[in-house]
mmCIF file of all heavy atoms in Angstrom:
data_model
loop_
_atom_site.group_PDB
_atom_site.id
_atom_site.type_symbol
_atom_site.label_atom_id
_atom_site.label_comp_id
_atom_site.label_asym_id
_atom_site.label_seq_id
_atom_site.Cartn_x
_atom_site.Cartn_y
_atom_site.Cartn_z
ATOM 1 N N GLU A 14 17.102 -4.003 -2.546
ATOM 2 C CA GLU A 14 18.325 -3.605 -3.267
ATOM 3 C C GLU A 14 19.100 -2.520 -2.525
ATOM 4 O O GLU A 14 20.292 -2.315 -2.793
ATOM 5 C CB GLU A 14 17.963 -3.121 -4.667
ATOM 6 C CG GLU A 14 17.541 -4.260 -5.603
ATOM 7 C CD GLU A 14 16.955 -3.759 -6.911
ATOM 8 O OE1 GLU A 14 16.726 -2.532 -7.045
ATOM 9 O OE2 GLU A 14 16.715 -4.600 -7.797
ATOM 10 N N HIS A 15 18.427 -1.822 -1.613
ATOM 11 C CA HIS A 15 19.078 -0.759 -0.823
ATOM 12 C C HIS A 15 19.292 -1.181 0.635
ATOM 13 O O HIS A 15 19.460 -0.332 1.517
ATOM 14 C CB HIS A 15 18.254 0.527 -0.913
ATOM 15 C CG HIS A 15 18.286 1.162 -2.271
ATOM 16 N ND1 HIS A 15 17.500 0.715 -3.320
ATOM 17 C CD2 HIS A 15 19.025 2.197 -2.767
ATOM 18 C CE1 HIS A 15 17.741 1.453 -4.392
ATOM 19 N NE2 HIS A 15 18.659 2.342 -4.079
ATOM 20 N N ASP A 16 19.264 -2.495 0.877
ATOM 21 C CA ASP A 16 19.508 -3.056 2.219
ATOM 22 C C ASP A 16 18.535 -2.526 3.265
ATOM 23 O O ASP A 16 18.881 -2.370 4.445
ATOM 24 C CB ASP A 16 20.957 -2.801 2.670
ATOM 25 C CG ASP A 16 21.966 -3.440 1.728
ATOM 26 O OD1 ASP A 16 21.741 -4.595 1.322
ATOM 27 O OD2 ASP A 16 22.967 -2.779 1.385
ATOM 28 N N ALA A 17 17.322 -2.223 2.815
ATOM 29 C CA ALA A 17 16.278 -1.718 3.710
ATOM 30 C C ALA A 17 15.105 -2.702 3.695
ATOM 31 O O ALA A 17 15.010 -3.567 2.825
ATOM 32 C CB ALA A 17 15.818 -0.335 3.269
ATOM 33 N N THR A 18 14.207 -2.549 4.674
ATOM 34 C CA THR A 18 13.041 -3.430 4.764
ATOM 35 C C THR A 18 11.769 -2.611 4.982
ATOM 36 O O THR A 18 11.815 -1.519 5.563
ATOM 37 C CB THR A 18 13.181 -4.444 5.919
ATOM 38 O OG1 THR A 18 13.448 -3.734 7.141
ATOM 39 C CG2 THR A 18 14.299 -5.432 5.650
ATOM 40 N N PRO A 19 10.609 -3.139 4.524
ATOM 41 C CA PRO A 19 9.328 -2.465 4.750
ATOM 42 C C PRO A 19 8.804 -2.781 6.152
ATOM 43 O O PRO A 19 8.455 -3.915 6.451
ATOM 44 C CB PRO A 19 8.422 -3.056 3.670
ATOM 45 C CG PRO A 19 8.994 -4.408 3.383
ATOM 46 C CD PRO A 19 10.460 -4.346 3.685
ATOM 47 N N GLU A 20 8.753 -1.770 7.000
ATOM 48 C CA GLU A 20 8.457 -1.977 8.415
ATOM 49 C C GLU A 20 7.029 -2.432 8.665
ATOM 50 O O GLU A 20 6.767 -3.181 9.609
ATOM 51 C CB GLU A 20 8.743 -0.693 9.201
ATOM 52 C CG GLU A 20 8.523 -0.793 10.688
ATOM 53 C CD GLU A 20 9.559 -1.647 11.421
ATOM 54 O OE1 GLU A 20 10.546 -2.079 10.793
ATOM 55 O OE2 GLU A 20 9.381 -1.855 12.635
ATOM 56 N N GLN A 21 6.079 -1.978 7.822
ATOM 57 C CA GLN A 21 4.698 -2.337 8.159
ATOM 58 C C GLN A 21 4.333 -3.753 7.738
ATOM 59 O O GLN A 21 3.292 -4.272 8.138
ATOM 60 C CB GLN A 21 3.689 -1.326 7.607
ATOM 61 C CG GLN A 21 3.508 -1.326 6.106
ATOM 62 C CD GLN A 21 4.208 -0.166 5.465
ATOM 63 O OE1 GLN A 21 5.384 0.079 5.724
ATOM 64 N NE2 GLN A 21 3.511 0.560 4.627
ATOM 65 N N LYS A 22 5.181 -4.399 6.927
ATOM 66 C CA LYS A 22 4.893 -5.783 6.540
ATOM 67 C C LYS A 22 5.015 -6.675 7.775
ATOM 68 O O LYS A 22 6.062 -6.757 8.398
ATOM 69 C CB LYS A 22 5.851 -6.255 5.445
ATOM 70 C CG LYS A 22 5.441 -7.577 4.847
ATOM 71 C CD LYS A 22 6.272 -7.919 3.628
ATOM 72 C CE LYS A 22 5.750 -9.199 2.987
ATOM 73 N NZ LYS A 22 6.516 -9.555 1.780
ATOM 74 N N GLY A 23 3.892 -7.299 8.137
ATOM 75 C CA GLY A 23 3.853 -8.119 9.350
ATOM 76 C C GLY A 23 3.354 -7.379 10.573
ATOM 77 O O GLY A 23 3.083 -7.996 11.604
ATOM 78 N N TYR A 24 3.180 -6.048 10.471
ATOM 79 C CA TYR A 24 2.702 -5.259 11.612
ATOM 80 C C TYR A 24 1.230 -5.592 11.876
ATOM 81 O O TYR A 24 0.374 -5.360 11.017
ATOM 82 C CB TYR A 24 2.878 -3.762 11.311
ATOM 83 C CG TYR A 24 2.317 -2.834 12.349
ATOM 84 C CD1 TYR A 24 2.982 -2.628 13.553
ATOM 85 C CD2 TYR A 24 1.121 -2.157 12.132
ATOM 86 C CE1 TYR A 24 2.464 -1.767 14.511
ATOM 87 C CE2 TYR A 24 0.601 -1.298 13.083
ATOM 88 C CZ TYR A 24 1.276 -1.108 14.275
ATOM 89 O OH TYR A 24 0.760 -0.248 15.216
ATOM 90 N N LYS A 25 0.961 -6.183 13.030
ATOM 91 C CA LYS A 25 -0.403 -6.600 13.402
ATOM 92 C C LYS A 25 -1.058 -7.439 12.296
ATOM 93 O O LYS A 25 -2.267 -7.350 12.068
ATOM 94 C CB LYS A 25 -1.263 -5.373 13.739
ATOM 95 C CG LYS A 25 -0.785 -4.627 14.979
ATOM 96 C CD LYS A 25 -1.721 -3.507 15.360
ATOM 97 C CE LYS A 25 -1.272 -2.816 16.648
ATOM 98 N NZ LYS A 25 -2.148 -1.674 17.012
ATOM 99 N N GLY A 26 -0.237 -8.204 11.591
ATOM 100 C CA GLY A 26 -0.757 -9.087 10.552
ATOM 101 C C GLY A 26 -0.884 -8.465 9.174
ATOM 102 O O GLY A 26 -1.320 -9.132 8.232
ATOM 103 N N PHE A 27 -0.493 -7.198 9.012
ATOM 104 C CA PHE A 27 -0.548 -6.563 7.691
ATOM 105 C C PHE A 27 0.438 -7.265 6.758
ATOM 106 O O PHE A 27 1.587 -7.488 7.119
ATOM 107 C CB PHE A 27 -0.227 -5.065 7.802
ATOM 108 C CG PHE A 27 -0.540 -4.278 6.570
ATOM 109 C CD1 PHE A 27 -1.835 -3.885 6.295
ATOM 110 C CD2 PHE A 27 0.467 -3.924 5.673
ATOM 111 C CE1 PHE A 27 -2.135 -3.149 5.154
ATOM 112 C CE2 PHE A 27 0.176 -3.188 4.533
ATOM 113 C CZ PHE A 27 -1.127 -2.801 4.274
ATOM 114 N N GLU A 28 0.003 -7.590 5.549
ATOM 115 C CA GLU A 28 0.770 -8.503 4.697
ATOM 116 C C GLU A 28 1.622 -7.833 3.629
ATOM 117 O O GLU A 28 2.327 -8.520 2.879
ATOM 118 C CB GLU A 28 -0.199 -9.482 4.004
ATOM 119 C CG GLU A 28 -0.952 -10.382 4.969
ATOM 120 C CD GLU A 28 -1.947 -11.285 4.258
ATOM 121 O OE1 GLU A 28 -1.873 -11.402 3.018
ATOM 122 O OE2 GLU A 28 -2.795 -11.880 4.959
ATOM 123 N N TYR A 29 1.579 -6.505 3.532
ATOM 124 C CA TYR A 29 2.160 -5.844 2.356
ATOM 125 C C TYR A 29 3.276 -4.862 2.728
ATOM 126 O O TYR A 29 3.356 -4.389 3.861
ATOM 127 C CB TYR A 29 1.059 -5.114 1.580
ATOM 128 C CG TYR A 29 -0.139 -5.987 1.307
ATOM 129 C CD1 TYR A 29 -1.279 -5.911 2.121
ATOM 130 C CD2 TYR A 29 -0.125 -6.914 0.270
ATOM 131 C CE1 TYR A 29 -2.381 -6.720 1.889
ATOM 132 C CE2 TYR A 29 -1.226 -7.738 0.038
ATOM 133 C CZ TYR A 29 -2.350 -7.640 0.840
ATOM 134 O OH TYR A 29 -3.442 -8.441 0.617
ATOM 135 N N ALA A 30 4.088 -4.530 1.735
ATOM 136 C CA ALA A 30 5.174 -3.562 1.931
ATOM 137 C C ALA A 30 4.658 -2.131 1.951
ATOM 138 O O ALA A 30 5.306 -1.234 2.479
ATOM 139 C CB ALA A 30 6.219 -3.719 0.822
ATOM 140 N N THR A 31 3.480 -1.924 1.347
ATOM 141 C CA THR A 31 2.895 -0.584 1.259
ATOM 142 C C THR A 31 1.422 -0.625 1.647
ATOM 143 O O THR A 31 0.779 -1.670 1.578
ATOM 144 C CB THR A 31 2.972 -0.035 -0.185
ATOM 145 O OG1 THR A 31 2.200 -0.891 -1.042
ATOM 146 C CG2 THR A 31 4.408 0.053 -0.684
ATOM 147 N N CYS A 32 0.904 0.539 2.007
ATOM 148 C CA CYS A 32 -0.536 0.774 1.991
ATOM 149 C C CYS A 32 -0.831 1.502 0.683
ATOM 150 O O CYS A 32 -0.114 2.451 0.334
ATOM 151 C CB CYS A 32 -0.971 1.632 3.170
ATOM 152 S SG CYS A 32 -0.674 0.895 4.784
ATOM 153 N N ALA A 33 -1.835 1.050 -0.041
ATOM 154 C CA ALA A 33 -2.170 1.632 -1.342
ATOM 155 C C ALA A 33 -3.654 1.965 -1.355
ATOM 156 O O ALA A 33 -4.501 1.071 -1.458
ATOM 157 C CB ALA A 33 -1.819 0.654 -2.460
ATOM 158 N N SER A 34 -3.969 3.245 -1.233
ATOM 159 C CA SER A 34 -5.355 3.689 -1.050
ATOM 160 C C SER A 34 -5.812 4.462 -2.286
ATOM 161 O O SER A 34 -5.180 5.446 -2.674
ATOM 162 C CB SER A 34 -5.458 4.560 0.198
ATOM 163 O OG SER A 34 -4.911 3.874 1.317
ATOM 164 N N ILE A 35 -6.915 4.004 -2.896
ATOM 165 C CA ILE A 35 -7.373 4.528 -4.177
ATOM 166 C C ILE A 35 -8.664 5.321 -4.003
ATOM 167 O O ILE A 35 -9.614 4.859 -3.362
ATOM 168 C CB ILE A 35 -7.604 3.370 -5.167
ATOM 169 C CG1 ILE A 35 -6.331 2.522 -5.333
ATOM 170 C CG2 ILE A 35 -8.060 3.896 -6.528
ATOM 171 C CD1 ILE A 35 -6.563 1.191 -6.035
ATOM 172 N N ASN A 36 -8.686 6.514 -4.574
ATOM 173 C CA ASN A 36 -9.895 7.344 -4.685
ATOM 174 C C ASN A 36 -10.545 7.645 -3.337
ATOM 175 O O ASN A 36 -10.046 8.481 -2.588
ATOM 176 C CB ASN A 36 -10.891 6.726 -5.671
ATOM 177 C CG ASN A 36 -10.339 6.690 -7.091
ATOM 178 O OD1 ASN A 36 -9.410 7.434 -7.410
ATOM 179 N ND2 ASN A 36 -10.879 5.832 -7.925
ATOM 180 N N ASP A 37 -11.661 6.968 -2.974
ATOM 181 C CA ASP A 37 -12.358 7.289 -1.723
ATOM 182 C C ASP A 37 -11.739 6.591 -0.518
ATOM 183 O O ASP A 37 -12.202 6.784 0.609
ATOM 184 C CB ASP A 37 -13.846 6.943 -1.821
ATOM 185 C CG ASP A 37 -14.108 5.450 -1.953
ATOM 186 O OD1 ASP A 37 -13.315 4.770 -2.649
ATOM 187 O OD2 ASP A 37 -15.090 4.954 -1.376
ATOM 188 N N GLU A 38 -10.702 5.774 -0.731
ATOM 189 C CA GLU A 38 -9.997 5.152 0.398
ATOM 190 C C GLU A 38 -9.070 6.190 1.020
ATOM 191 O O GLU A 38 -8.265 6.808 0.322
ATOM 192 C CB GLU A 38 -9.204 3.934 -0.089
ATOM 193 C CG GLU A 38 -10.097 2.821 -0.585
ATOM 194 C CD GLU A 38 -9.343 1.670 -1.214
ATOM 195 O OE1 GLU A 38 -8.176 1.846 -1.598
ATOM 196 O OE2 GLU A 38 -9.944 0.590 -1.335
ATOM 197 N N ILE A 39 -9.187 6.376 2.316
ATOM 198 C CA ILE A 39 -8.424 7.404 3.025
ATOM 199 C C ILE A 39 -7.027 6.904 3.365
ATOM 200 O O ILE A 39 -6.030 7.589 3.148
ATOM 201 C CB ILE A 39 -9.174 7.839 4.304
ATOM 202 C CG1 ILE A 39 -10.496 8.512 3.928
ATOM 203 C CG2 ILE A 39 -8.315 8.772 5.155
ATOM 204 C CD1 ILE A 39 -11.451 8.675 5.092
ATOM 205 N N CYS A 40 -6.954 5.683 3.901
ATOM 206 C CA CYS A 40 -5.661 5.128 4.299
ATOM 207 C C CYS A 40 -5.775 3.624 4.494
ATOM 208 O O CYS A 40 -6.875 3.079 4.591
ATOM 209 C CB CYS A 40 -5.129 5.793 5.570
ATOM 210 S SG CYS A 40 -6.210 5.637 7.011
ATOM 211 N N HIS A 41 -4.602 2.980 4.549
ATOM 212 C CA HIS A 41 -4.473 1.547 4.853
ATOM 213 C C HIS A 41 -5.159 0.641 3.834
ATOM 214 O O HIS A 41 -5.622 -0.447 4.171
ATOM 215 C CB HIS A 41 -4.971 1.242 6.272
ATOM 216 C CG HIS A 41 -4.332 2.096 7.322
ATOM 217 N ND1 HIS A 41 -4.962 2.423 8.495
ATOM 218 C CD2 HIS A 41 -3.121 2.703 7.361
ATOM 219 C CE1 HIS A 41 -4.164 3.209 9.214
ATOM 220 N NE2 HIS A 41 -3.038 3.388 8.543
ATOM 221 N N GLY A 42 -5.219 1.097 2.577
ATOM 222 C CA GLY A 42 -5.720 0.252 1.503
ATOM 223 C C GLY A 42 -4.758 -0.892 1.212
ATOM 224 O O GLY A 42 -3.543 -0.745 1.354
ATOM 225 N N PHE A 43 -5.305 -2.036 0.814
ATOM 226 C CA PHE A 43 -4.486 -3.198 0.462
ATOM 227 C C PHE A 43 -4.068 -3.106 -1.013
ATOM 228 O O PHE A 43 -4.918 -2.834 -1.871
ATOM 229 C CB PHE A 43 -5.289 -4.495 0.637
ATOM 230 C CG PHE A 43 -5.538 -4.906 2.063
ATOM 231 C CD1 PHE A 43 -5.162 -4.120 3.137
ATOM 232 C CD2 PHE A 43 -6.152 -6.128 2.336
ATOM 233 C CE1 PHE A 43 -5.400 -4.514 4.453
ATOM 234 C CE2 PHE A 43 -6.394 -6.544 3.638
ATOM 235 C CZ PHE A 43 -6.016 -5.730 4.701
ATOM 236 N N PRO A 44 -2.796 -3.376 -1.331
ATOM 237 C CA PRO A 44 -2.410 -3.520 -2.740
ATOM 238 C C PRO A 44 -3.227 -4.645 -3.383
ATOM 239 O O PRO A 44 -3.506 -5.664 -2.746
ATOM 240 C CB PRO A 44 -0.927 -3.894 -2.659
ATOM 241 C CG PRO A 44 -0.471 -3.348 -1.346
ATOM 242 C CD PRO A 44 -1.640 -3.511 -0.428
ATOM 243 N N ARG A 45 -3.624 -4.447 -4.648
ATOM 244 C CA ARG A 45 -4.449 -5.454 -5.318
ATOM 245 C C ARG A 45 -4.158 -5.475 -6.824
ATOM 246 O O ARG A 45 -3.438 -4.632 -7.335
ATOM 247 C CB ARG A 45 -5.924 -5.213 -5.040
ATOM 248 C CG ARG A 45 -6.420 -3.793 -5.223
ATOM 249 C CD ARG A 45 -7.741 -3.640 -4.490
ATOM 250 N NE ARG A 45 -8.374 -2.362 -4.652
ATOM 251 C CZ ARG A 45 -8.173 -1.320 -3.838
ATOM 252 N NH1 ARG A 45 -7.308 -1.400 -2.834
ATOM 253 N NH2 ARG A 45 -8.833 -0.195 -4.028
ATOM 254 N N LYS A 46 -4.765 -6.455 -7.476
ATOM 255 C CA LYS A 46 -4.389 -6.761 -8.862
ATOM 256 C C LYS A 46 -5.298 -6.117 -9.908
ATOM 257 O O LYS A 46 -5.106 -6.340 -11.100
ATOM 258 C CB LYS A 46 -4.317 -8.275 -9.052
ATOM 259 C CG LYS A 46 -3.191 -8.894 -8.212
ATOM 260 C CD LYS A 46 -3.087 -10.389 -8.370
ATOM 261 C CE LYS A 46 -1.916 -10.918 -7.509
ATOM 262 N NZ LYS A 46 -1.803 -12.392 -7.549
ATOM 263 N N GLU A 47 -6.259 -5.298 -9.474
ATOM 264 C CA GLU A 47 -7.078 -4.567 -10.447
ATOM 265 C C GLU A 47 -6.280 -3.356 -10.943
ATOM 266 O O GLU A 47 -5.704 -2.623 -10.142
ATOM 267 C CB GLU A 47 -8.387 -4.069 -9.804
ATOM 268 C CG GLU A 47 -9.372 -5.161 -9.458
ATOM 269 C CD GLU A 47 -9.015 -5.895 -8.178
ATOM 270 O OE1 GLU A 47 -8.349 -5.315 -7.311
ATOM 271 O OE2 GLU A 47 -9.389 -7.084 -8.065
ATOM 272 N N PRO A 48 -6.254 -3.124 -12.263
ATOM 273 C CA PRO A 48 -5.467 -2.004 -12.790
ATOM 274 C C PRO A 48 -6.046 -0.641 -12.396
ATOM 275 O O PRO A 48 -7.267 -0.489 -12.254
ATOM 276 C CB PRO A 48 -5.518 -2.200 -14.307
ATOM 277 C CG PRO A 48 -6.621 -3.161 -14.572
ATOM 278 C CD PRO A 48 -6.857 -3.940 -13.325
ATOM 279 N N LEU A 49 -5.157 0.315 -12.215
ATOM 280 C CA LEU A 49 -5.569 1.693 -11.984
ATOM 281 C C LEU A 49 -6.098 2.285 -13.286
ATOM 282 O O LEU A 49 -5.617 1.954 -14.378
ATOM 283 C CB LEU A 49 -4.390 2.525 -11.482
ATOM 284 C CG LEU A 49 -3.865 2.168 -10.086
ATOM 285 C CD1 LEU A 49 -2.549 2.892 -9.807
ATOM 286 C CD2 LEU A 49 -4.887 2.500 -9.008
ATOM 287 N N ASN A 50 -7.078 3.170 -13.165
ATOM 288 C CA ASN A 50 -7.724 3.776 -14.338
ATOM 289 C C ASN A 50 -7.363 5.250 -14.461
ATOM 290 O O ASN A 50 -7.051 5.918 -13.468
ATOM 291 C CB ASN A 50 -9.245 3.645 -14.228
ATOM 292 C CG ASN A 50 -9.695 2.201 -14.220
ATOM 293 O OD1 ASN A 50 -9.312 1.430 -15.092
ATOM 294 N ND2 ASN A 50 -10.505 1.829 -13.233
ATOM 295 N N GLU A 51 -7.415 5.742 -15.672
ATOM 296 C CA GLU A 51 -7.257 7.171 -15.932
ATOM 297 C C GLU A 51 -8.215 7.945 -15.030
ATOM 298 O O GLU A 51 -9.401 7.624 -14.947
ATOM 299 C CB GLU A 51 -7.573 7.452 -17.403
ATOM 300 C CG GLU A 51 -7.380 8.886 -17.832
ATOM 301 C CD GLU A 51 -6.010 9.135 -18.444
ATOM 302 O OE1 GLU A 51 -5.311 8.168 -18.779
ATOM 303 O OE2 GLU A 51 -5.655 10.314 -18.569
ATOM 304 N N GLY A 52 -7.690 8.953 -14.334
ATOM 305 C CA GLY A 52 -8.533 9.777 -13.467
ATOM 306 C C GLY A 52 -8.551 9.358 -12.016
ATOM 307 O O GLY A 52 -9.063 10.082 -11.161
ATOM 308 N N ASP A 53 -8.002 8.168 -11.717
ATOM 309 C CA ASP A 53 -7.866 7.748 -10.317
ATOM 310 C C ASP A 53 -6.803 8.583 -9.619
ATOM 311 O O ASP A 53 -5.914 9.166 -10.257
ATOM 312 C CB ASP A 53 -7.419 6.279 -10.224
ATOM 313 C CG ASP A 53 -8.507 5.278 -10.578
ATOM 314 O OD1 ASP A 53 -9.692 5.659 -10.584
ATOM 315 O OD2 ASP A 53 -8.155 4.105 -10.848
ATOM 316 N N ILE A 54 -6.872 8.610 -8.288
ATOM 317 C CA ILE A 54 -5.719 9.046 -7.493
ATOM 318 C C ILE A 54 -5.384 7.905 -6.526
ATOM 319 O O ILE A 54 -6.273 7.174 -6.091
ATOM 320 C CB ILE A 54 -5.962 10.372 -6.734
ATOM 321 C CG1 ILE A 54 -7.071 10.245 -5.699
ATOM 322 C CG2 ILE A 54 -6.256 11.507 -7.700
ATOM 323 C CD1 ILE A 54 -7.199 11.480 -4.808
ATOM 324 N N VAL A 55 -4.111 7.742 -6.241
ATOM 325 C CA VAL A 55 -3.685 6.651 -5.366
ATOM 326 C C VAL A 55 -2.630 7.163 -4.393
ATOM 327 O O VAL A 55 -1.716 7.892 -4.780
ATOM 328 C CB VAL A 55 -3.159 5.439 -6.167
ATOM 329 C CG1 VAL A 55 -1.992 5.820 -7.076
ATOM 330 C CG2 VAL A 55 -2.771 4.285 -5.263
ATOM 331 N N THR A 56 -2.803 6.809 -3.116
ATOM 332 C CA THR A 56 -1.827 7.163 -2.085
ATOM 333 C C THR A 56 -1.008 5.928 -1.737
ATOM 334 O O THR A 56 -1.565 4.891 -1.378
ATOM 335 C CB THR A 56 -2.529 7.689 -0.821
ATOM 336 O OG1 THR A 56 -3.295 8.844 -1.158
ATOM 337 C CG2 THR A 56 -1.500 8.064 0.251
ATOM 338 N N ILE A 57 0.313 6.058 -1.850
ATOM 339 C CA ILE A 57 1.236 4.987 -1.466
ATOM 340 C C ILE A 57 1.943 5.429 -0.181
ATOM 341 O O ILE A 57 2.623 6.452 -0.161
ATOM 342 C CB ILE A 57 2.268 4.694 -2.568
ATOM 343 C CG1 ILE A 57 1.572 4.394 -3.911
ATOM 344 C CG2 ILE A 57 3.192 3.559 -2.141
ATOM 345 C CD1 ILE A 57 0.721 3.147 -3.920
ATOM 346 N N ASP A 58 1.755 4.647 0.873
ATOM 347 C CA ASP A 58 2.288 4.958 2.208
ATOM 348 C C ASP A 58 3.222 3.826 2.619
ATOM 349 O O ASP A 58 2.876 2.646 2.481
ATOM 350 C CB ASP A 58 1.119 5.087 3.187
ATOM 351 C CG ASP A 58 1.542 5.532 4.577
ATOM 352 O OD1 ASP A 58 2.725 5.891 4.772
ATOM 353 O OD2 ASP A 58 0.679 5.515 5.481
ATOM 354 N N MET A 59 4.404 4.183 3.101
ATOM 355 C CA MET A 59 5.326 3.136 3.533
ATOM 356 C C MET A 59 6.221 3.622 4.670
ATOM 357 O O MET A 59 6.490 4.813 4.813
ATOM 358 C CB MET A 59 6.180 2.649 2.366
ATOM 359 C CG MET A 59 7.160 3.659 1.846
ATOM 360 S SD MET A 59 8.080 3.054 0.421
ATOM 361 C CE MET A 59 7.257 3.949 -0.893
ATOM 362 N N VAL A 60 6.649 2.646 5.467
ATOM 363 C CA VAL A 60 7.624 2.888 6.539
ATOM 364 C C VAL A 60 8.850 2.037 6.225
ATOM 365 O O VAL A 60 8.729 0.840 5.980
ATOM 366 C CB VAL A 60 7.054 2.519 7.920
ATOM 367 C CG1 VAL A 60 8.050 2.856 9.018
ATOM 368 C CG2 VAL A 60 5.731 3.237 8.162
ATOM 369 N N VAL A 61 10.013 2.667 6.212
ATOM 370 C CA VAL A 61 11.258 2.001 5.827
ATOM 371 C C VAL A 61 12.177 1.865 7.033
ATOM 372 O O VAL A 61 12.361 2.830 7.791
ATOM 373 C CB VAL A 61 11.959 2.796 4.705
ATOM 374 C CG1 VAL A 61 13.369 2.278 4.451
ATOM 375 C CG2 VAL A 61 11.133 2.743 3.428
#
């Protein structure tokens, strides 16, 4: 909607617009369909 694109999508085969790392994941977590729980922390990393 802002005429921008997610740069890491397709980078070395990475399939997602974001890296989504939960709790003990440090970086480069894959977005997934399990719901986040109360008390979790999540890092959203993106290149635009």
Side-chain angles (χ1 to χ4, degrees):
E14 288 170 352
H15 291 80
D16 300 317
T18 54
E20 182 71 7
Q21 70 256 50
K22 190 171 185 179
Y24 175 76
K25 295 185 177 178
F27 192 79
E28 297 177 14
Y29 310 99
T31 62
C32 297
S34 307
I35 304 167
N36 296 340
D37 66 322
E38 294 174 341
I39 295 166
C40 59
H41 307 151
F43 287 5
R45 48 198 184 269
K46 295 180 179 177
E47 290 79 26
L49 293 170
N50 297 309
E51 183 95 14
D53 287 343
I54 64 172
V55 58
T56 300
I57 306 296
D58 185 8
M59 68 183 104
V60 183
V61 170

